[in-house]
Amino acid sequence: MVMLEKTYRPAEVEEKHYRLWEESGVFAADTRSNEKPYTIMMPPPNVTGSLHMGHALTFTIQDLLTRYQRMRGRDALWQPGTDHAGIATQMVVERNLAKEGKTRHDFGRKAFIDKVWEWKAESGGTITRQLRRLGASPDWAKERFTMDEGLSRAVAKVFVELHRQGLIYKDKRLVNWDPKLHTAISDLEVEQKEIKGNLWHFRYPIDGEEGRFIVVATTRPETMLGDTGVAVHPEDDRYKDLIGKNVRLPLVGRLIPIVGDEYADPETGSGAVKITPAHDFNDFEVGKRCGLEAINILDRDARMNENVPEAYQGLDRYEARKKVVAELEALELLEKIEPHTHMVPHGDRSGVAIEPWLTDQWYVDAATLAKPAIEAVETGKTVFVPKQWENTYFEWMRNIQPWCISRQIWWGHQIPAWYGPDGTFFVEESEDAARAAAAKHYGSDVELTRDPDVLDTWFSSALFPFSTLGWPDQTPELDRYYPTDVLVTGFDIIFFWVARMMMMGLHFMKDVPFRTVYIHALVRDERGQKMSKSKGNVIDPLEIIDEYGTDALRLTLTAMAAQGRDIKLATNRVEGYRNFATKLWNAARYCQMNGCEPVAGYRPVGLTQTVNRWIVGELADAANKVAAAIDAYKFNDAANAAYQFTWGGFCDWYMEFTKPILAGTDEAAKAETRATTAWVLDQILHILHPIMPFITEELWEQLSPNRASRLITADWPEVGPELVDQAARDEMNWVVRLISSVRSMRSEMNVPPGAQIELKLKDAGEASLKRLDTHRDLILRMARLSSVEPLSGPVPKSAVQAVQDEATLVLPLEGIVDLDKERARLSKEIDKLAGEIKKIDAKLSNEQFVAKAPEEVIVEQRDRREAADQARGKLQKALEMLGA
């Protein structure tokens, strides 16, 4: 056998194993398999994307689940794909054209779309190459793209069927309009920015009541040119007599009514609100309730249109604002101006302030589709983990608005609607079908014009769980892998993707798209702040992989993925888990150097050595804990169980316990210990493989080069009850606890490392004394003791104590440590921590502080309190050892 290199070099190992895995086809699902299927849909990353830390977390979890289920014997399909990302991709290509001094209009639609496909072929595979570096093992042969032929056919069929069912329709409603990109955008593409502006208070004259005004306040004076009403609360005594009367709109001159509506808050401002239904989402709803006209005063560039007085036509919205304020001031209709900081929605791609804009768009009747999707979660057909995310889902679904699905861009699925000469439209899956429908309608062939809009990217991704499996064709994959088992995603797209997949899956497949939705938390920086380029706190996963290896990053993310808790990532955490990989590598080298080689078919039963029966039972316990934690989506518990057993149970304890056997003369005991050591190490590689695939596969290969299969296809450890000898586990764990207690006492009391001291056992029972006799040499060596004996007389005055089962461990420290000084030191430290906790509690109970402080500050304070409380508890325990 070739000895392992002294140092593990991740880069060499990772590239080699990934290539071998992919070439050998081990990622592939088998449609003809008799095994139970297990399916995960990969949330398709944008084709423009590159790997960020959020991706690293979600894809690590998905890969962990996939590898684990493969090892459990399931026919695992992790369905990969990428999203065409309409606006994002179009912008990338347009930026490239701009470098040549050209726009998409220089090419025309068809030629421009050809350019996008060219870009996709050359540069669109970045994210999938990076996923390979992360160790992701989806069935790459089944990779789909949301604009490929099959998925495009599914999109057209869904659109046509929903339209025929009355669930897709055209309507004139408000949308988020991006005046730079000239398209409607979704709420997800809108980011709120805090802007320091003003609140202008204007006087609107009451018609027919000379000298009487009603005062309204606005942050957007320019929109008053489109006002069609003023709202007051129906129960506001100040204005009851005005409801039903009119005001004359300044600068415009038209009469607009004063209406009673509960949207107007008597406690806010003057209690009267100007209503501009065409340019504010809340006003739009008030306008509908009160029958107010919606007058659009902006064009697609956010300039004033023909519906405003001539002097304003063509002005930019902000130029119009200045002019409105100046003219109202000149008319003595400006009552006051107050500084006002407020949130203004901006397009996340264009960076400009978006406009609520009244346009004709295509909509889905989401409220109708949402009903079965709500019921599916209510009845447990689909379960959210953690469960509290169901509340978020219900909140949105029960208040769902019509879904605007049209976008005014070129890259995407063009809407399958064709218009005749008189504007009648024909919704069909193909142009030929539309022509036939039009000919039937008009009585002859007519010229048709296709709707230029494309569909919202979320429309095609809503079909992902079944369109990727071949729908609308009834394929073997669709029969076998739908519905899927689990969806792993972030909370931010519960509304935009999860809910829409639920609606579409139930409508077209008559079943939920997934049985479980696991919602993972955010990855933040070490201070709990959200990562962003502007803050300069972004941690690049590829840089982390280059420095520490993929397995270290994956283990870090898994170990920190506690349900419902954001991950606060620091590079020193990754470094710590890299050290774990080093520990595992060194343990494997130790095994090699001591002749601990895997024995084919070895099953560790009937063992003669207590220490071997113990470690086998501990391994069985760890494997079961890891499996149970993964099954419960408690990934941090899985990682920690594997970590604690490997580093603690196997490396720190078992290897030390067995050194005397391996160095001894009992050949049968040595052979048993070598075989057991090799077997346990093999099982460790199994349970770590889903989390740390590269180093485990490398060690699997190196430790026994002639194995019949790779670790990725090996079975999950079979650890039945026959492997657990409870008596052996109790005995050796007693030894572990005793040595750990002594080490802890030494550490807490600052006993010099080299000091050989005595240990006395007070009130120890027969079983404990027997264990002491059996393992005395181990205890003396590993606890650095000069002796360990039962205590027959009183406890020495200068001694520290700890309880273990029925016995008390007594460590006399006369002449070694000044216990009075230690008591004083510990008490002082405890008081200091108590004071710090009190200060933090005062802050966190201060409502004003909590309301004003940024989220990351609150998180930091809570973490500091938790750390201080833990430190105080540890010191209190040390003080108790001193009998204080």
Side-chain angles (χ1 to χ4, degrees), residues 312-327:
Y312 288 88
Q313 291 177 16
L315 290 182
D316 172 79
R317 52 185 162 169
Y318 299 118
E319 293 171 356
R321 176 178 297 181
K322 292 175 186 173
K323 187 174 176 66
V324 164
V325 172
E327 292 205 4

Side-chain angles (χ1 to χ4, degrees), residues 18-33:
Y18 199 92
R19 177 173 44 80
L20 292 172
W21 287 332
E22 195 167 359
E23 288 172 358
S24 65
V26 293
F27 299 163
D30 182 2
T31 313
R32 297 161 300 177
S33 169

Side-chain angles (χ1 to χ4, degrees), residues 198-319:
N198 291 311
L199 192 62
W200 287 269
H201 295 254
F202 298 141
R203 299 188 191 103
Y204 284 9
I206 308 295
D207 185 52
E209 297 191 29
E210 189 70 31
R212 190 176 181 190
F213 303 91
I214 190 165
V215 177
V216 298
T218 181
T219 59
R220 306 196 58 208
E222 69 279 10
T223 64
M224 62 84 63
L225 301 173
D227 286 359
T228 58
V230 173
V232 297
H233 195 281
E235 301 303 319
D236 192 333
D237 291 332
R238 293 172 293 176
Y239 303 121
K240 274 185 178 179
D241 68 312
L242 291 179
I243 295 174
K245 294 185 177 182
N246 294 321
V247 299
R248 188 164 295 279
L249 185 62
L251 308 181
V252 178
R254 68 171 172 264
L255 290 176
I256 61 175
I258 298 172
V259 298
D261 192 278
E262 291 184 356
Y263 171 63
D265 181 1
E267 303 299 321
T268 302
S270 67
V273 186
K274 62 187 280 302
I275 303 298
T276 322
H279 297 286
D280 182 277
F281 288 102
N282 290 317
D283 291 7
F284 183 77
E285 297 301 324
V286 175
K288 279 202 304 184
R289 289 195 294 271
C290 299
L292 302 178
E293 186 182 2
I295 301 175
N296 193 351
I297 60 166
L298 294 173
D299 65 13
R300 69 176 200 155
D301 297 307
R303 290 182 174 275
M304 296 290 147
N305 66 16
E306 70 282 359
N307 294 328
V308 299
E310 189 174 351
Y312 288 88
Q313 291 177 16
L315 290 182
D316 172 79
R317 52 185 162 169
Y318 299 118
E319 293 171 356

Side-chain angles (χ1 to χ4, degrees), residues 713-735:
T713 58
D715 291 335
W716 188 257
E718 290 180 36
V719 286
E722 75 279 4
L723 297 186
V724 180
D725 182 329
Q726 195 57 48
R729 291 186 69 197
D730 289 345
E731 181 174 331
M732 295 311 300
N733 283 335
W734 183 90
V735 176

